[in-house]
Amino acid sequence: MCDDAQICFAEVVAGSAAWLGRGLSCVCAQRRESDARPSFDLTPSEEECLQRLQNRIDIAYDSSIPEHQAALRALWNAVFPEEELHGLISEQWKEMGWQGKDPSTDFRGGGFISLENLLFFARHFPKSFKDLLWKQEGDRSAWEYPFAVAGVNITFMLIQMLDLEAVKPRTMVGAIFLKFLSENESAFDILYCIAFKLMDRQWLAMRASYMDFNTVMKATRCQLEREFLLEDITRLEELPSYSLLTL
């Protein structure tokens, strides 16, 4: 057993970019490799929206880029408006659940979009964001998941679930998402917020500890896929798990 819960979690969850997404293929959506994968045609609007989202996904976090520095500072200010940040490399970042004093090392798997997702969450659903950050809901584990590192993993999980690096969707879930995206360009960011809140709900329901994080992520993905396939769902706000969010 490890003496340092955070180090253990890093090894299980996000110690390297290679871990991110490992084993996250949902059991309720698995198919044999020999099975033909369907392909869904896109409207011109959907193609354009997918390309813009893929462009976001392709941007690696670069601590030398002023825009990226500004986004990181904006995240700090959104969470700790009354506490001055001493630097982009600072022990203060551990308060938000980063593994070390330099958050850029944790963006390896999620890229710049994972920072954008966290910032969107903090700005648009501040109560839910802070409830998760400070673990204010439910009977918490003695060894909790680090908030920010979990957020990076959620970004990566959603990219996999929606097959967003493909030219066109190869699953019904991916095709449905692109319809949502064509109607609301913030759809990926909103889904991120839903997924984060749902992950925490699954964490509590499973009475999970840090070693269970991958299992919790699989359960979260499966639940999201089920909700996408429900009848009469025409936008993200109609997903049952959207009701978990509070402003």
Side-chain angles (χ1 to χ4, degrees), residues 18-205:
W19 181 90
L20 286 160
R22 184 183 302 162
L24 288 179
S25 179
C26 178
V27 293
C28 59
Q30 285 179 344
R31 61 175 68 243
R32 295 187 305 272
E33 290 184 6
S34 59
D35 290 349
R37 299 192 70 178
S39 178
F40 297 84
D41 292 329
L42 303 178
T43 66
S45 174
E46 290 169 349
E47 286 184 357
E48 185 178 347
C49 290
L50 175 59
Q51 185 60 59
R52 284 198 295 267
L53 181 54
Q54 289 175 332
N55 290 342
R56 290 178 64 193
I57 290 169
D58 287 341
I59 299 173
Y61 180 82
D62 186 339
S63 58
S64 69
I65 297 177
E67 179 189 359
H68 294 195
Q69 296 174 7
L72 194 54
R73 290 186 184 278
L75 178 63
W76 178 269
N77 292 333
V79 180
F80 302 106
E82 298 180 0
E83 183 177 346
E84 181 182 357
L85 179 64
H86 299 153
L88 294 181
I89 298 178
S90 169
E91 293 289 338
Q92 291 171 284
W93 288 108
K94 294 180 181 179
E95 298 176 41
M96 202 184 295
W98 300 105
Q99 293 184 75
K101 61 183 181 180
D102 183 2
S104 67
T105 62
D106 290 326
F107 286 126
R108 289 171 296 188
F112 183 58
I113 193 172
S114 59
L115 172 55
E116 292 180 311
N117 290 157
L118 280 167
L119 187 54
F120 181 94
F121 195 4
R123 287 174 168 171
H124 290 81
F125 300 98
K127 185 180 186 306
S128 287
F129 183 95
K130 291 181 180 178
D131 285 347
L132 294 181
L133 173 62
W134 304 122
K135 308 295 192 295
Q136 292 178 336
E137 295 183 347
D139 183 15
R140 312 304 310 196
S141 167
W143 284 357
E144 283 286 330
Y145 60 86
F147 173 81
V149 175
V152 174
N153 279 272
I154 288 171
T155 296
F156 196 91
M157 180 270 286
L158 291 176
I159 292 171
Q160 282 198 321
M161 183 186 88
L162 301 171
D163 200 18
L164 291 176
E165 295 178 310
V167 174
K168 58 177 64 177
R170 295 175 292 183
T171 66
M172 182 62 72
V173 170
I176 292 170
F177 171 75
L178 287 181
K179 294 186 182 299
F180 296 158
L181 185 66
S182 67
E183 297 170 2
N184 184 346
E185 203 154 0
S186 296
F188 186 78
D189 301 276
I190 295 171
L191 181 58
Y192 172 88
C193 301
I194 296 170
F196 210 145
K197 190 69 176 178
L198 177 59
M199 184 278 292
D200 190 72
R201 179 62 62 91
Q202 299 277 12
W203 177 274
L204 291 172

Side-chain angles (χ1 to χ4, degrees), residues 7-19:
I7 292 175
C8 286
F9 187 90
E11 293 171 354
V12 174
V13 179
S16 69
W19 181 90

